[in-house]
């Protein structure tokens, strides 16, 4: 059975099951959006917890370096989460689960990698983010966040591609 929509000059026939497919698609978008939001919140708290100083308070106070570091950290988390969703299974339930797992593993890998690189470079991130004036070191920390976010995202895509071909 097809559904027909009539306009002044044209009749458009929708395929059978169009409404239910549209509903499932909308439901999937909402569920993935919720998963993405939860992962972004977890990513923010992971960055906040592992960065000296209370990032949310520093951002609210308008500390320019805290804003740069937080924004780059959130973008790096978004790279990871987007790729985790993109390379999740086509089955909705499995896709949501793999998105959560890849996203969580990616967040942990990102935080550990950034903290390790900060330790190796001997950057005093705590002093940098609390400074009232812009500090060039915050750009280095931001670049590290973004670069490692992309690296982790590509690692997720590579692993999930390998996993998909092995199945």
């Amino acid at each position: 059975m097809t559904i027909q929509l009539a306009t002044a000059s044209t009749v458009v026939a929708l395929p059978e099951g169009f409404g239910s497919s549209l509903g499932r698609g909308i439901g999937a978008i909402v569920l993935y959006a919720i998963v993405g939001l939860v992962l972004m919140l977890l990513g923010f708290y992971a960055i906040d917890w592992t960065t000296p100083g209370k990032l949310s308070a520093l951002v609210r106070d308008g500390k320019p370096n805290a804003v740069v570091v937080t924004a780059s950290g959130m973008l790096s988390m978004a790279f990871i989460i987007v790729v985790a969703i993109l390379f999740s299974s086509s089955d909705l339930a499995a896709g949501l689960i793999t998105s959560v797992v890849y996203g969580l593993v990616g967040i942990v890998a990102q935080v550990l990698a950034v903290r390790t690189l900060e330790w190796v470079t001997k950057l005093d991130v705590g002093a940098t983010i609390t400074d009232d004036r812009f500090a060039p070191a915050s750009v280095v920390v931001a670049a590290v966040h973004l670069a490692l976010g992309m690296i982790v995202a590509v690692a997720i895509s590579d692993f999930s591609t390998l996993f998909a071909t092995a199945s």
Side-chain angles (χ1 to χ4, degrees):
M1 176 180 143
T2 60
I3 301 170
Q4 294 187 349
L5 299 175
T7 63
S9 62
T10 311
V11 173
V12 177
L14 298 175
E16 188 174 327
F18 174 78
S20 64
S21 292
L22 185 62
R24 282 192 307 275
I26 291 169
I29 291 168
V30 169
L31 290 172
Y32 277 112
I34 291 168
V35 165
L37 176 63
V38 169
L39 288 170
M40 287 296 292
L41 289 171
L42 289 173
F44 172 78
Y45 285 114
I47 294 168
D48 192 22
W49 180 63
T50 60
T51 303
K54 185 74 175 139
L55 282 178
S56 56
L58 294 169
V59 169
R60 275 193 308 277
D61 292 344
K63 303 288 186 182
N65 304 307
V67 170
V68 168
V69 169
T70 302
S72 65
M74 295 310 298
L75 283 171
S76 71
M77 292 298 164
F79 292 149
I80 293 167
I81 295 162
V82 165
V83 171
I85 290 171
L86 181 65
F87 284 91
S88 64
S89 171
S90 60
D91 174 73
L92 181 59
L96 290 168
I97 292 168
T98 56
S99 292
V100 168
V101 171
Y102 290 164
L104 290 173
V105 170
I107 288 168
V108 169
Q110 165 75 354
V111 168
L112 291 175
V114 168
R115 295 299 156 241
T116 301
L117 205 57
E118 288 172 0
W119 175 71
V120 168
T121 60
K122 308 286 191 250
L123 292 174
D124 186 353
V125 177
T128 300
I129 64 172
T130 57
D131 198 344
D132 288 325
R133 295 173 298 133
F134 173 73
S138 68
V139 176
V140 173
V141 175
V144 168
H145 274 284
L146 295 172
L148 288 170
M150 287 187 282
I151 291 167
V152 171
V154 169
I156 289 170
S157 71
D158 190 49
F159 174 75
S160 52
T161 304
L162 271 170
F163 183 69
T165 55
S167 299

